[in-house]
């Protein structure tokens, strides 16, 4: 992925591996979600705080391509960027890469909307501004 | 365990096994919690409903003895009984048994109190009555 | 989904819900995987046994559309059918439905190959026969 | 805990919180296990490598006291020391502490043996030496 707006370094924990000896597929969704939440947090808002205020970011579609496996103790990076579609849809492009080799492990498109009382709404302005690239994000890494 | 007041039959799912090829230790806590919640539900109350009303059953201590392993697709039973200690403490005795052999897989003592605003309180009367054996539980199995 | 070749009835466990009060997205992958493994098991083969013999079914792509949420204690059904693409690819179409209303909760396409020493291979003949519809599956439900 | 031989800094991920809005009890076992494995790794051996060589560290008893809750994005430390009992038993004393306040969140005793073909055996010499304090551990932190 070129020009990610956020990256997060993590390491595989043994309990995340299944009886094939590799990270279970569902765990990659955990990694992707955690990176998105950390990204949102780097913009100055917390996911749990938004929930308390009645605003929930909701994933309505995920596409994941599994290219390689991660296994016990592997270090890896989750990279992320985001684009807007229409008035309310934000699509996160996410990639997981082996830390040592840089090889792509997984590529994902995560389609999200913000909701209030179950209906799509524009995100809080602080988030909207950054997601839409009006204001350069403060928490950029990598 | 003699005379459980509740039993629940479950089956190991492959994603619950770790790279040793057996159910990861932490997953047994999931099984034990699920059995307690199903027991409480069999008494006519739901855990999530209690949470919405501000009452949260809280585990303050767990002791678990791991006697055997469960592995892929094993069928097993979680058995449960409960005793009161003092005015507010409820201790769940729980056992996990291989369905086919009846062999004990795990024995646990789970120490709980009900809390409201972070302070111990007596449980809802419907639960208290049953937990204290005043009224025979409606949902007894096995 | 019309004419599923396999269905599995499950129920949400409280520990599968996250701080939004609904089933965490990653958990749906657990449900989908468990249903596929139970389907394969209904054909007379176990996933862990195949692994010991060096054959691992591998998911190389997943597409999931999240239509509704499941929450605490919800009963639901995972329905499944499978189609072949090319010589080695098997695509599972999977759907999760609310048990009570029949409403669709999630629709997924899960792209798989069988691998041996990291290379795609045809699946064991017993599985190939059924997956390709040559022999009607023994374990059909629903 | 005084004089831990190993400490590990971690942070709560949102998917580890349940519908009570706090880290689910079972997840603490994940944290404790991960810290033990990282400790063993700091001694120069990997858990998965030992498994491949037929040696599996096995937990046969856990005692956990839950003193406080961790919630979304909390930073915390897992501290650890180990004592020997008899010829084959190693007991890990583990503590989880809030990073900011230093307040104790959880205290645990984790009773382990190393096994080969299902029977208790002494651990690999490199581990035994360190666990028994003959050689000061190379990976000491904190």
């Amino acid at each position: 992925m070129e020009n990610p707006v956020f990256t997060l370094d993590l390491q595989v924990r043994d309990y995340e591996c299944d009886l094939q000896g590799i990270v279970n597929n569902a765990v990659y969704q955990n990694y992707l979600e955690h990176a998105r939440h950390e990204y949102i947090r780097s913009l100055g808002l917390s996911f749990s705080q938004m929930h308390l205020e009645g605003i929930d970011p909701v994933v309505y579609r995920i596409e994941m391509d599994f290219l390689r496996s991660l296994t016990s103790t592997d270090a890896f990076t989750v990279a992320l960027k985001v684009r807007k579609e229409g008035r309310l849809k934000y699509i996160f492009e996410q990639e997981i890469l082996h830390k040592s080799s840089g090889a792509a492990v997984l590529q994902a498109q995560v389609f999200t909307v913000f909701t209030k009382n179950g209906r799509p709404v524009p995100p809080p302005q602080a988030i909207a501004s950054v997601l839409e690239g009006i204001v350069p994000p403060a928490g950029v890494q990598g």
Side-chain angles (χ1 to χ4, degrees), chain A residues 51-77:
Chain A
H51 175 62
L52 291 175
E53 292 167 9
I55 293 171
D56 286 306
V58 167
V59 172
Y60 65 92
R61 179 175 169 82
I62 293 183
E63 299 171 8
M64 284 182 285
D65 288 296
F66 301 90
L67 307 173
R68 281 179 183 74
S69 298
L70 290 174
T71 188
S72 180
T73 75
D74 278 356
F76 61 97
T77 301

Short mmCIF file of all heavy atoms in Angstrom, two decimals, chain A residues 51-77:
data_model
loop_
_atom_site.label_atom_id
_atom_site.label_comp_id
_atom_site.label_asym_id
_atom_site.label_seq_id
_atom_site.Cartn_x
_atom_site.Cartn_y
_atom_site.Cartn_z
N HIS A 51 -19.67 5.49 21.21
CA HIS A 51 -20.78 4.57 21.50
C HIS A 51 -21.66 5.14 22.61
O HIS A 51 -22.90 5.11 22.53
CB HIS A 51 -20.24 3.20 21.89
CG HIS A 51 -21.30 2.23 22.32
ND1 HIS A 51 -22.32 1.81 21.47
CD2 HIS A 51 -21.53 1.62 23.50
CE1 HIS A 51 -23.12 0.97 22.12
NE2 HIS A 51 -22.66 0.83 23.35
N LEU A 52 -21.02 5.70 23.66
CA LEU A 52 -21.78 6.27 24.77
C LEU A 52 -22.61 7.47 24.29
O LEU A 52 -23.67 7.77 24.83
CB LEU A 52 -20.84 6.70 25.90
CG LEU A 52 -20.16 5.54 26.64
CD1 LEU A 52 -19.17 6.06 27.67
CD2 LEU A 52 -21.20 4.65 27.34
N GLU A 53 -22.12 8.15 23.25
CA GLU A 53 -22.86 9.30 22.71
C GLU A 53 -23.86 8.90 21.64
O GLU A 53 -24.47 9.75 20.99
CB GLU A 53 -21.86 10.33 22.16
CG GLU A 53 -21.03 10.99 23.25
CD GLU A 53 -19.84 11.77 22.70
OE1 GLU A 53 -19.77 11.94 21.46
OE2 GLU A 53 -18.99 12.18 23.51
N GLY A 54 -24.02 7.59 21.44
CA GLY A 54 -25.05 7.12 20.51
C GLY A 54 -24.60 7.01 19.07
O GLY A 54 -25.40 6.71 18.19
N ILE A 55 -23.31 7.23 18.83
CA ILE A 55 -22.81 7.12 17.46
C ILE A 55 -21.94 5.88 17.32
O ILE A 55 -20.95 5.73 18.05
CB ILE A 55 -22.03 8.38 17.04
CG1 ILE A 55 -22.98 9.57 16.97
CG2 ILE A 55 -21.33 8.17 15.69
CD1 ILE A 55 -22.29 10.89 16.79
N ASP A 56 -22.33 4.99 16.44
CA ASP A 56 -21.56 3.76 16.25
C ASP A 56 -21.10 3.63 14.82
O ASP A 56 -21.92 3.57 13.90
CB ASP A 56 -22.43 2.54 16.62
CG ASP A 56 -22.60 2.39 18.12
OD1 ASP A 56 -21.58 2.36 18.83
OD2 ASP A 56 -23.74 2.30 18.59
N PRO A 57 -19.78 3.60 14.60
CA PRO A 57 -19.30 3.25 13.27
C PRO A 57 -19.68 1.79 13.00
O PRO A 57 -19.50 0.93 13.87
CB PRO A 57 -17.78 3.39 13.36
CG PRO A 57 -17.49 3.93 14.72
CD PRO A 57 -18.69 3.75 15.56
N VAL A 58 -20.24 1.54 11.85
CA VAL A 58 -20.71 0.19 11.53
C VAL A 58 -20.06 -0.28 10.24
O VAL A 58 -20.00 0.46 9.26
CB VAL A 58 -22.25 0.17 11.39
CG1 VAL A 58 -22.74 -1.13 10.76
CG2 VAL A 58 -22.91 0.37 12.74
N VAL A 59 -19.56 -1.51 10.27
CA VAL A 59 -19.01 -2.14 9.08
C VAL A 59 -20.15 -2.86 8.37
O VAL A 59 -20.81 -3.70 8.97
CB VAL A 59 -17.91 -3.15 9.46
CG1 VAL A 59 -17.48 -3.95 8.24
CG2 VAL A 59 -16.72 -2.42 10.08
N TYR A 60 -20.39 -2.52 7.10
CA TYR A 60 -21.47 -3.22 6.40
C TYR A 60 -20.95 -4.20 5.33
O TYR A 60 -21.71 -5.01 4.80
CB TYR A 60 -22.50 -2.24 5.81
CG TYR A 60 -21.97 -1.33 4.72
CD1 TYR A 60 -22.06 -1.71 3.38
CD2 TYR A 60 -21.38 -0.11 5.01
CE1 TYR A 60 -21.57 -0.90 2.37
CE2 TYR A 60 -20.88 0.71 4.01
CZ TYR A 60 -20.98 0.31 2.70
OH TYR A 60 -20.48 1.12 1.71
N ARG A 61 -19.67 -4.13 5.05
CA ARG A 61 -19.10 -5.10 4.11
C ARG A 61 -17.59 -5.21 4.32
O ARG A 61 -16.93 -4.20 4.59
CB ARG A 61 -19.36 -4.67 2.65
CG ARG A 61 -18.76 -5.63 1.62
CD ARG A 61 -19.15 -5.25 0.19
NE ARG A 61 -18.39 -6.00 -0.80
CZ ARG A 61 -18.70 -7.24 -1.21
NH1 ARG A 61 -19.74 -7.86 -0.71
NH2 ARG A 61 -17.94 -7.87 -2.09
N ILE A 62 -17.08 -6.42 4.21
CA ILE A 62 -15.63 -6.64 4.27
C ILE A 62 -15.22 -7.55 3.13
O ILE A 62 -15.89 -8.55 2.85
CB ILE A 62 -15.20 -7.29 5.61
CG1 ILE A 62 -15.41 -6.33 6.78
CG2 ILE A 62 -13.74 -7.73 5.57
CD1 ILE A 62 -14.94 -6.88 8.12
N GLU A 63 -14.13 -7.19 2.48
CA GLU A 63 -13.47 -8.09 1.52
C GLU A 63 -12.05 -8.30 1.99
O GLU A 63 -11.34 -7.34 2.25
CB GLU A 63 -13.43 -7.45 0.12
CG GLU A 63 -14.79 -7.14 -0.48
CD GLU A 63 -14.68 -6.32 -1.77
OE1 GLU A 63 -13.54 -6.13 -2.27
OE2 GLU A 63 -15.71 -5.85 -2.25
N MET A 64 -11.66 -9.56 2.12
CA MET A 64 -10.29 -9.85 2.57
C MET A 64 -9.62 -10.85 1.65
O MET A 64 -10.20 -11.91 1.35
CB MET A 64 -10.33 -10.46 3.98
CG MET A 64 -10.59 -9.43 5.07
SD MET A 64 -10.55 -10.19 6.72
CE MET A 64 -12.15 -11.02 6.65
N ASP A 65 -8.40 -10.54 1.22
CA ASP A 65 -7.60 -11.49 0.47
C ASP A 65 -6.45 -11.97 1.35
O ASP A 65 -5.63 -11.17 1.80
CB ASP A 65 -7.06 -10.85 -0.82
CG ASP A 65 -8.16 -10.67 -1.84
OD1 ASP A 65 -8.72 -11.69 -2.29
OD2 ASP A 65 -8.48 -9.51 -2.17
N PHE A 66 -6.43 -13.27 1.60
CA PHE A 66 -5.40 -13.87 2.45
C PHE A 66 -4.25 -14.34 1.56
O PHE A 66 -4.41 -15.27 0.77
CB PHE A 66 -5.99 -15.06 3.22
CG PHE A 66 -7.17 -14.69 4.10
CD1 PHE A 66 -8.47 -14.74 3.61
CD2 PHE A 66 -6.96 -14.27 5.41
CE1 PHE A 66 -9.56 -14.38 4.42
CE2 PHE A 66 -8.04 -13.92 6.22
CZ PHE A 66 -9.34 -13.98 5.72
N LEU A 67 -3.11 -13.69 1.66
CA LEU A 67 -2.00 -13.95 0.74
C LEU A 67 -0.93 -14.85 1.36
O LEU A 67 -0.31 -15.65 0.68
CB LEU A 67 -1.38 -12.61 0.32
CG LEU A 67 -2.39 -11.59 -0.24
CD1 LEU A 67 -1.71 -10.24 -0.48
CD2 LEU A 67 -3.02 -12.10 -1.53
N ARG A 68 -0.66 -14.66 2.64
CA ARG A 68 0.33 -15.46 3.36
C ARG A 68 -0.20 -15.69 4.77
O ARG A 68 -1.18 -15.07 5.17
CB ARG A 68 1.67 -14.71 3.47
CG ARG A 68 2.51 -14.75 2.23
CD ARG A 68 3.79 -13.96 2.41
NE ARG A 68 4.58 -13.95 1.18
CZ ARG A 68 4.26 -13.23 0.10
NH1 ARG A 68 3.20 -12.45 0.12
NH2 ARG A 68 5.02 -13.28 -0.98
N SER A 69 0.47 -16.54 5.54
CA SER A 69 0.05 -16.78 6.92
C SER A 69 1.00 -16.10 7.89
O SER A 69 2.19 -15.95 7.62
CB SER A 69 0.06 -18.29 7.22
OG SER A 69 -0.87 -18.94 6.39
N LEU A 70 0.45 -15.69 9.02
CA LEU A 70 1.27 -15.30 10.15
C LEU A 70 1.29 -16.46 11.12
O LEU A 70 0.31 -17.19 11.25
CB LEU A 70 0.68 -14.06 10.83
CG LEU A 70 0.77 -12.73 10.08
CD1 LEU A 70 0.01 -11.65 10.83
CD2 LEU A 70 2.23 -12.31 9.89
N THR A 71 2.40 -16.60 11.81
CA THR A 71 2.48 -17.68 12.80
C THR A 71 3.09 -17.17 14.10
O THR A 71 3.45 -15.99 14.21
CB THR A 71 3.25 -18.90 12.23
OG1 THR A 71 3.14 -19.98 13.17
CG2 THR A 71 4.72 -18.56 12.03
N SER A 72 3.19 -18.05 15.06
CA SER A 72 3.66 -17.73 16.41
C SER A 72 4.78 -16.70 16.45
O SER A 72 5.82 -16.87 15.81
CB SER A 72 4.14 -19.02 17.07
OG SER A 72 4.61 -18.77 18.37
N THR A 73 4.54 -15.62 17.22
CA THR A 73 5.54 -14.56 17.50
C THR A 73 5.90 -13.67 16.31
O THR A 73 6.72 -12.76 16.47
CB THR A 73 6.84 -15.13 18.10
OG1 THR A 73 7.61 -15.77 17.07
CG2 THR A 73 6.58 -16.10 19.24
N ASP A 74 5.31 -13.89 15.13
CA ASP A 74 5.58 -13.01 13.98
C ASP A 74 5.26 -11.55 14.31
O ASP A 74 4.21 -11.24 14.87
CB ASP A 74 4.72 -13.40 12.76
CG ASP A 74 5.31 -14.56 11.98
OD1 ASP A 74 6.42 -15.01 12.33
OD2 ASP A 74 4.66 -15.03 11.03
N ALA A 75 6.16 -10.67 13.94
CA ALA A 75 5.89 -9.23 14.02
C ALA A 75 5.30 -8.78 12.69
O ALA A 75 5.72 -9.24 11.63
CB ALA A 75 7.17 -8.47 14.32
N PHE A 76 4.29 -7.88 12.78
CA PHE A 76 3.65 -7.43 11.54
C PHE A 76 3.15 -6.00 11.69
O PHE A 76 3.06 -5.47 12.80
CB PHE A 76 2.50 -8.38 11.15
CG PHE A 76 1.40 -8.46 12.18
CD1 PHE A 76 0.25 -7.69 12.06
CD2 PHE A 76 1.51 -9.32 13.27
CE1 PHE A 76 -0.77 -7.77 13.01
CE2 PHE A 76 0.50 -9.40 14.22
CZ PHE A 76 -0.63 -8.63 14.09
N THR A 77 2.83 -5.40 10.56
CA THR A 77 2.34 -4.03 10.52
C THR A 77 0.97 -4.00 9.86
O THR A 77 0.75 -4.68 8.87
CB THR A 77 3.30 -3.15 9.69
OG1 THR A 77 4.60 -3.20 10.29
CG2 THR A 77 2.82 -1.71 9.65
#
